[in-house]
């Protein structure tokens, strides 16, 4: 059985005080999920990580929103995997479209980040997804295939087991427009097929593939009822504890009914 995962990407939001309040509130509301098939991942700003004790819950861990491909040294403003590990995070988001766009990140550079992160024992949430221009040209599958294969398919079988894939169509991020369940399911199944072709069906079936892009408590049910959508990478709606927990309840219910 693969893991259902609900991840909150807080992006550049919350002061330290607000972040601690939000984290504590999510932790308190998450206790009731301890016997369910759901794992929570919280990715706050780097500065908050050391103040958050993720060991309070077995089914919750912390992630950084990015990492450097360099191990250490004179890289002003960057954060290494070792620093991320030293503050208790167990995972890192790699390849978010905002970083791809704002810093012109290429799959080749993301591949280096993947290697450093996995080599040092972090799990990764690897983001992929097409722009609206790609989709208008019906190029979504080839774009996603390149993103996934160029940065991940050199990994060994066992290292790929540390990868969570997040499909985040760029046109749906922060726009209030969500991919339809059919659009999302099609790409999720496509990604699972790529993993199956590269490795095998068993690894493909055990890889969690999350949907991200304006997912909230209203549209979560229809998305999570799709068989290849194993949870969400949530932006805006992860900044309110009640809303985030509502989405978690929806995820558990949708998968219980499968
Ligand atoms: P929104 O949920 O705000 O659209 O953001 C999605 C996202 O980018 C998560 O990484």
């Amino acid at each position: 059985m693969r893991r259902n995962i609900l991840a909150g990407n807080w992006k550049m939001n919350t002061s330290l005080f607000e972040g601690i309040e939000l984290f504590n509130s999510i932790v308190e509301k998450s206790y009731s999920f301890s016997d369910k098939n759901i794992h929570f991942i919280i990715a706050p700003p780097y500065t908050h990580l050391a103040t958050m004790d993720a060991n309070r819950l077995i089914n919750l861990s912390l992630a950084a929103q990015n990492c450097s491909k360099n191990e250490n040294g004179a890289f002003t403003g960057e954060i290494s995997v070792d620093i991320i590990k030293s503050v208790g995070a167990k995972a890192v988001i790699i390849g978010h479209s905002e970083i791809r766009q704002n810093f012109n990140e290429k799959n080749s550079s993301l591949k280096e980040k993947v290697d450093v992160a996995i080599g040092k024992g972090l799990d990764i949430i690897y983001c992929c997804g097409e722009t609206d221009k790609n989709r208008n040209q019906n190029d979504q599958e080839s774009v996603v295939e390149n993103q996934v294969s160029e940065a991940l398919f050199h990994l060994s079988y066992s290292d790929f087991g540390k990868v969570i894939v997040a499909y985040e169509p760029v046109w749906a991020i922060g726009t209030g427009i969500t991919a339809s369940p059919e659009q999302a399911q099609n790409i999720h199944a496509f990604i699972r097929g790529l993993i199956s072709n590269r490795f095998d069906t068993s690894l493909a079936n055990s890889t969690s593939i999350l949907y991200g892009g304006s997912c909230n408590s209203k549209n979560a049910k229809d998305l999570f009822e799709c068989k290849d959508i194993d949870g969400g990478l949530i932006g805006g709606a992860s900044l309110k504890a009640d809303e985030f927990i509502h989405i978690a309840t929806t995820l558990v219910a949708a998968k219980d009914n499968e």
Side-chain angles (χ1 to χ4, degrees):
M1 186 167 63
R2 59 181 173 257
R3 282 193 310 171
N4 299 315
I5 295 174
L6 192 66
N9 175 9
W10 293 4
K11 307 191 180 184
M12 199 172 69
N13 293 297
T14 71
S15 66
L16 181 59
F17 179 75
E18 290 163 345
I20 291 172
E21 274 207 328
L22 176 57
F23 180 75
N24 287 339
S25 182
I26 290 171
V27 168
E28 268 159 40
K29 293 171 200 290
S30 303
Y31 280 112
S32 59
F33 292 88
S34 52
D35 59 342
K36 311 274 191 240
N37 175 9
I38 182 168
H39 186 83
F40 293 95
I41 300 177
I42 306 293
Y46 294 126
T47 45
H48 300 14
L49 285 166
T51 68
M52 296 173 171
D53 179 9
N55 294 323
R56 285 157 67 190
L57 276 180
I58 47 161
N59 61 340
L60 181 141
S61 50
L62 292 171
Q65 295 177 17
N66 190 15
C67 66
S68 174
K69 64 185 178 194
N70 300 297
E71 292 201 21
N72 54 40
F75 299 99
T76 302
E78 292 207 51
I79 301 280
S80 72
V81 168
D82 282 337
I83 297 173
I84 290 167
K85 284 178 65 180
S86 75
V87 292
K90 298 276 188 277
V92 57
I93 299 173
I94 293 181
H96 193 283
S97 64
E98 286 153 11
I99 301 176
R100 286 180 191 264
Q101 286 181 339
N102 294 341
F103 297 95
N104 197 22
E105 274 217 303
K106 302 285 179 240
N107 296 331
S108 53
S109 155
L110 297 172
K111 177 182 177 199
E112 293 181 60
K113 291 186 175 185
V114 165
D115 285 341
V116 179
I118 290 195
K120 287 179 174 283
L122 286 182
D123 289 347
I124 65 166
I125 301 177
Y126 180 78
C127 301
C128 58
E130 79 285 358
T131 62
D132 52 353
K133 184 169 172 229
N134 300 145
R135 187 161 276 270
N136 290 339
Q137 294 170 344
N138 205 26
D139 282 340
Q140 60 274 15
E141 290 191 350
S142 61
V143 168
V144 167
E145 178 167 2
N146 287 342
Q147 291 170 335
V148 170
S149 63
E150 288 175 17
L152 297 179
F153 279 0
H154 64 292
L155 290 172
S156 68
Y157 192 97
S158 63
D159 281 347
F160 194 87
K162 297 172 192 147
V163 175
I164 299 161
V165 180
Y167 169 59
E168 300 206 304
V170 178
W171 47 272
I173 295 179
T175 57
I177 303 166
T178 316
S180 70
E182 191 189 1
Q183 287 171 322
Q185 164 59 26
N186 285 345
I187 298 285
H188 281 236
F190 174 72
I191 294 169
R192 206 175 299 287
L194 294 174
I195 300 168
S196 179
N197 289 343
R198 164 63 184 90
F199 297 98
D200 64 18
T201 317
S202 165
L203 189 55
N205 283 340
S206 63
T207 302
S208 300
I209 307 178
L210 315 183
Y211 171 79
S214 298
C215 182
N216 57 41
S217 61
K218 294 199 175 61
N219 54 38
K221 178 172 182 289
D222 290 342
L223 288 161
F224 295 158
E225 278 176 354
C226 298
K227 73 178 173 59
D228 287 297
I229 302 183
D230 308 311
L233 177 55
I234 317 293
S238 71
L239 295 170
K240 293 203 177 92
D242 284 340
E243 173 75 358
F244 190 60
I245 294 298
H246 194 149
I247 299 171
T249 309
T250 308
L251 175 58
V252 170
K255 296 304 170 191
D256 276 354
N257 287 336
E258 260 180 13

